[in-house]
Amino acid sequence: MKIMNPDPAPVFFEKCAQHGLKITPQRKVIYQEVMKAKDHPTADAVYKRTRKILSNISFDTVYRTLLSFTEIGIINLVEGYGEQKRFEPDPAPHHHFRCIKCHTIFDFENDSYDHIPVPDEVRKYGNVTNKRVVLEGICSKCSKSK
Amino acid sequence: MKIMNPDPAPVFFEKCAQHGLKITPQRKVIYQEVMKAKDHPTADAVYKRTRKILSNISFDTVYRTLLSFTEIGIINLVEGYGEQKRFEPDPAPHHHFRCIKCHTIFDFENDSYDHIPVPDEVRKYGNVTNKRVVLEGICSKCSKSK
DNA sequence: TACTATATAGTAATAATTCCTATTTGTAAA
DNA sequence: TTTACAAATAGGAATTATTACTATATAGTA
């Protein structure tokens, strides 16, 4: 017996409840589409995939929902984060602390981070020319202004 | 004697020559503005700063030039990279290899990366909730299709 | 079952990025 | 030097991504 649209994992219901998000058919489908993705889909890609199941879902719903899911931590946003491009002058190796609320990036240097070994596994993907550690969290300013 | 517009560092001329970029007044000013930035300016911010020196420089020139500089490696692009937002399903800790040409991101897991210690220095910026190592380079597909 | 805050579809507005074209300019070669 | 020409520029337009708006529908609670 083939189940066409099984319910999402319990974590989905738990997290939504925790954060007061209602369970809608749209959200269930969007969540499942992201969970089964093997790539890192854009909002537009998720939109196209969900439309095969919910034929009149709107882009805005998909987009907003993805952001909501990101906020409650059931999916992730990968770099780039879709904001404006930002440039930096310093070509010396350094690392970043990034605030997930206000998106400010703080630079720091760290010698041991500079020298982390590249796993063999990664060599098959390509030739590594830059290493960067990105630490993410909420900056002190944002956690105060809460 | 005050020098108003000293020439950029030699590395600027060397790298431009290496990559066949002509030395223009616009490029000199743009380069210097980025080099003296203490923040991570957007293209628009660089545009506004350069206009104080070259009053009729166009946004397009600034934007293109910043991208050129990034390509030849005299300035850097920080995350986000200004592309579309991309989402990923896996909330488990993992790391990324990112191709600087085609922007594909390859996931990999690495236990020792998961456990890198957070420097004390970083604690003053905020509370770290996520660690990610981003290795950048050119993926094997892109280096072939060269 | 009825109520109400939340979510939705559809669309419009805004913002960021990229493209286009006529003109100008840096640089290599004469 | 001067010349020739590929490359770069200004100005603006087009495209693409993101976010906002509003009337309607719906999930979840009382």
Side-chain angles (χ1 to χ4, degrees), chain A residues 71 98-104 137-139 142 146:
Chain A
E71 271 186 32
R98 177 175 175 273
C99 176
I100 59 175
K101 288 276 181 195
C102 68
H103 309 148
T104 302
I138 298 184
C139 75
C142 282
K146 175 66 193 317

Side-chain angles (χ1 to χ4, degrees), chain B:
Chain B
M1 180 174 128
K2 201 174 168 188
I3 298 167
M4 293 303 291
N5 274 315
D7 269 352
V11 64
F12 170 76
F13 295 96
E14 287 159 18
K15 284 279 191 170
C16 284
Q18 268 172 39
H19 294 84
L21 292 193
K22 291 179 178 174
I23 307 300
T24 67
Q26 290 90 341
R27 284 181 174 162
K28 285 203 266 188
V29 170
I30 292 165
Y31 178 74
Q32 287 176 311
E33 283 303 315
V34 177
M35 289 316 277
K36 79 184 189 202
K38 296 277 178 287
D39 52 357
H40 299 98
T42 61
D44 194 61
V46 177
Y47 171 62
K48 290 198 175 94
R49 294 174 203 177
T50 54
R51 273 191 88 87
K52 293 184 181 166
I53 298 166
L54 296 174
S55 61
N56 73 334
I57 194 171
S58 71
F59 176 79
D60 187 55
T61 296
V62 174
Y63 194 87
R64 264 185 305 97
T65 301
L66 289 170
L67 297 183
S68 306
F69 286 173
T70 301
E71 270 186 33
I72 69 173
I74 56 176
I75 65 175
N76 289 339
L77 196 47
V78 304
E79 66 280 4
Y81 305 100
E83 298 143 23
Q84 288 179 60
K85 284 184 172 65
R86 290 185 172 273
F87 301 89
E88 67 179 3
D90 188 2
H94 64 282
H95 308 276
H96 288 156
F97 173 81
R98 177 176 175 275
C99 176
I100 58 176
K101 287 276 180 195
C102 68
H103 309 149
T104 302
I105 292 172
F106 301 87
D107 295 341
F108 65 94
E109 295 185 17
N110 186 288
D111 210 54
S112 68
Y113 282 6
D114 295 346
H115 295 99
I116 48 169
V118 174
D120 282 340
E121 178 195 0
V122 172
R123 299 238 163 77
K124 71 177 182 233
Y125 296 133
N127 187 35
V128 173
T129 55
N130 188 40
K131 307 177 202 175
R132 177 150 56 209
V133 177
V134 179
L135 301 176
E136 294 177 312
I138 298 184
C139 75
S140 36
K141 196 174 169 192
C142 283
S143 49
K144 268 177 215 151
S145 68
K146 177 63 192 318

